[in-house]
């Protein structure tokens, strides 16, 4: 408890002063950071890790300090005494501040090491530590660009007592990446919400994005009268002319319906917003498990 309070106090001080270097900001509403990182753990068997993860950014003008990626609100995993932050198929978001100008980030170094246990009930020891890192998305708020650093590989420590931490370098993919903030509004009408799966496809002047699932782990989305926010990434497809929204069936909702009010799309890197109002029901036909609509932007 004392350690948590001290960490929170340091984070608050850093936010107020705006001068912390190489620190993950854990304070809600903090704006004193210049990099936003999205770490994607792969959706493969045993992809999660019990280890500690560190990151170093290498730019054209220098590099950042080595930074441990950790959010204070992460709880011990399933009653054990291990903090399991990087879970299979999940995306972890971190806001970090690097005070010096390191230029555009050309590569990222990831380090995985044995974790320190937290106090609590005894749990079994892991003799090895593995982690399947899929990719990292980086948004530079200072220089206003986004990049994807794919990895799709394992980091493995075969013997935690003899083997030192493992490191790997990630390099940006070819072509530019665009980051979007998607805001979805559900109408405030009776039974307007849905338990179905919602997907979005961006239709641009240079091509289309992949079909992307809108889902925040641990959150119940698309409820009556609620607004949900999502971060998505895609290759540069130019100006967006339309979006395609798809509603799909689930076990809980085999024939879902949903009263969609509007979708707002914000290009984070270019600070540009578009609104796509709909104000209609999406209803899956009885003999189908999916329904999709194409929505143009408002004038």
């Amino acid at each position: 408890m004392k350690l948590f309070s001290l960490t929170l106090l340091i984070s608050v001080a850093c936010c107020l002063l705006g001068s912390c270097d190489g620190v993950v900001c854990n304070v809600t509403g903090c704006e004193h950071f210049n990099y936003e990182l999205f770490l994607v753990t792969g959706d493969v068997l045993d992809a999660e890790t019990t280890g500690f993860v560190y990151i170093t950014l290498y730019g054209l003008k220098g590099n950042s300090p080595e930074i441990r990626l950790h959010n204070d609100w992460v709880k011990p995993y399933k009653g054990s005494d291990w903090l399991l932050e990087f879970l299979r198929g999940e995306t972890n978001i971190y806001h970090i501040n690097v005070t010096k100008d390191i230029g555009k980030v050309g590569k990222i170094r990831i380090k995985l090491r044995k974790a320190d246990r937290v106090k609590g009930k005894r749990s079994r020891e892991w003799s090895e530590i593995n982690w399947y890192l899929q990719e990292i998305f980086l948004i530079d708020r200072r220089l206003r660009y986004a990049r994807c650093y794919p990895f799709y590989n394992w980091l493995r420590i075969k013997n935690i007592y003899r083997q030192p931490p493992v490191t790997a370098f990630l390099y940006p993919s070819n072509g530019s990446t665009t980051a979007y903030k998607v805001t979805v509004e559900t109408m405030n009408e009776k039974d307007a919400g849905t338990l179905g799966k919602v997907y979005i496809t961006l239709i641009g002047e240079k091509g289309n994005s992949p079909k992307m699932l809108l889902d925040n782990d641990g959150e119940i989305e698309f409820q009556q009268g609620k607004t949900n926010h999502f971060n998505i990434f895609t290759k540069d497809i130019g100006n967006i002319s339309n979006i395609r929204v798809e509603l799909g069936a689930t076990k809980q909702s085999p024939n879902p319906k949903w009263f969609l009010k509007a979708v707002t799309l914000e290009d984070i890197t270019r600070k540009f917003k578009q609104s796509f109002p709909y104000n209609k029901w999406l209803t899956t036909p009885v003999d189908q498990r999916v329904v999709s609509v194409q929505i143009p932007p408002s004038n």
Side-chain angles (χ1 to χ4, degrees):
M1 183 66 181
K2 290 182 179 179
L3 178 60
F4 173 81
S5 301
L6 179 59
T7 305
L8 182 61
L9 182 60
I10 293 172
S11 296
V12 171
C14 289
C15 289
L16 294 175
L17 297 174
S19 59
C20 53
D21 188 24
V23 174
V24 176
C25 179
N26 286 304
V27 179
T28 303
C30 169
E31 290 296 327
H32 294 296
F33 63 90
N34 46 26
Y35 292 103
E36 196 165 6
L37 297 173
F38 299 77
L39 273 72
V40 183
T41 299
D43 190 10
V44 299
L45 183 65
D46 296 328
E48 63 274 0
T49 185
T50 59
F52 281 174
V53 174
Y54 297 80
I55 194 168
T56 306
L57 308 179
Y58 288 82
L60 298 177
K61 300 179 182 178
N63 57 276
S64 73
E66 183 177 76
I67 306 160
R68 183 189 163 206
L69 297 179
H70 172 61
N71 285 321
D72 285 339
W73 51 83
V74 175
K75 304 298 182 183
Y77 181 62
K78 293 183 178 179
S80 74
D81 54 354
W82 293 94
L83 295 174
L84 204 57
E85 188 155 4
F86 303 94
L87 297 173
R88 172 181 174 176
E90 292 195 0
T91 299
N92 297 82
I93 304 174
Y94 302 92
H95 298 157
I96 64 174
N97 188 48
V98 179
T99 54
K100 67 178 180 180
D101 180 12
I102 63 174
K104 278 198 171 185
V105 177
K107 63 180 179 181
I108 297 175
R109 185 180 69 183
I110 284 285
K111 183 172 82 173
L112 177 68
R113 79 162 179 86
K114 175 186 175 183
D116 300 327
R117 299 201 332 176
V118 296
K119 292 182 179 180
K121 296 180 181 179
R122 290 186 59 82
S123 63
R124 69 182 180 89
E125 294 277 1
W126 275 266
S127 59
E128 63 179 65
I129 296 173
N130 302 314
W131 181 36
Y132 189 88
L133 173 61
Q134 179 171 308
E135 57 199 345
I136 296 176
F137 290 98
L138 177 144
I139 300 175
D140 186 327
R141 288 161 52 106
R142 181 186 291 159
L143 300 181
R144 293 190 179 181
Y145 72 89
R147 278 183 171 177
C148 175
Y149 299 78
F151 190 61
Y152 289 87
N153 211 338
W154 290 94
L155 291 163
R156 298 184 186 274
I157 301 178
K158 293 293 186 181
N159 189 319
I160 62 174
Y161 304 106
R162 297 180 181 178
Q163 186 179 341
V166 293
T167 61
F169 283 95
L170 283 67
Y171 298 88
S173 59
N174 295 327
S176 58
T177 302
T178 305
Y180 294 96
K181 180 180 179 181
V182 181
T183 301
V184 181
E185 299 175 74
T186 299
M187 192 68 77
N188 191 17
E189 298 282 349
K190 183 180 179 181
D191 299 326
T194 185
L195 294 176
K197 289 187 175 181
V198 176
Y199 301 85
I200 190 170
T201 303
L202 310 184
I203 302 171
E205 60 184 358
K206 298 179 182 178
N208 298 348
S209 74
K211 183 173 75 173
M212 294 169 280
L213 175 66
L214 299 180
D215 177 55
N216 291 325
D217 292 312
E219 181 179 320
I220 300 177
E221 298 98 352
F222 315 117
Q223 298 302 293
Q224 176 183 325
K226 300 296 184 181
T227 299
N228 300 104
H229 305 281
F230 308 90
N231 291 288
I232 62 173
F233 301 84
T234 184
K235 64 182 180 181
D236 182 12
I237 58 175
N239 294 327
I240 307 300
S241 58
N242 288 276
I243 63 171
R244 184 181 300 117
V245 175
E246 182 176 301
L247 177 64
T250 62
K251 290 182 179 179
Q252 297 87 352
S253 183
N255 291 107
K257 62 178 182 178
W258 179 37
F259 202 155
L260 171 61
K261 182 178 181 181
V263 176
T264 302
L265 196 64
E266 180 183 356
D267 186 326
I268 298 175
T269 52
R270 294 186 295 176
K271 301 296 183 182
F272 178 72
K273 280 187 179 182
Q274 286 180 283
S275 179
F276 298 82
Y278 190 64
N279 298 310
K280 297 178 184 177
W281 286 94
L282 281 82
T283 305
T284 54
V286 176
D287 58 341
Q288 298 181 25
R289 292 179 58 83
V290 65
V291 61
S292 66
V293 293
Q294 193 160 303
I295 308 174
S298 60
N299 295 329

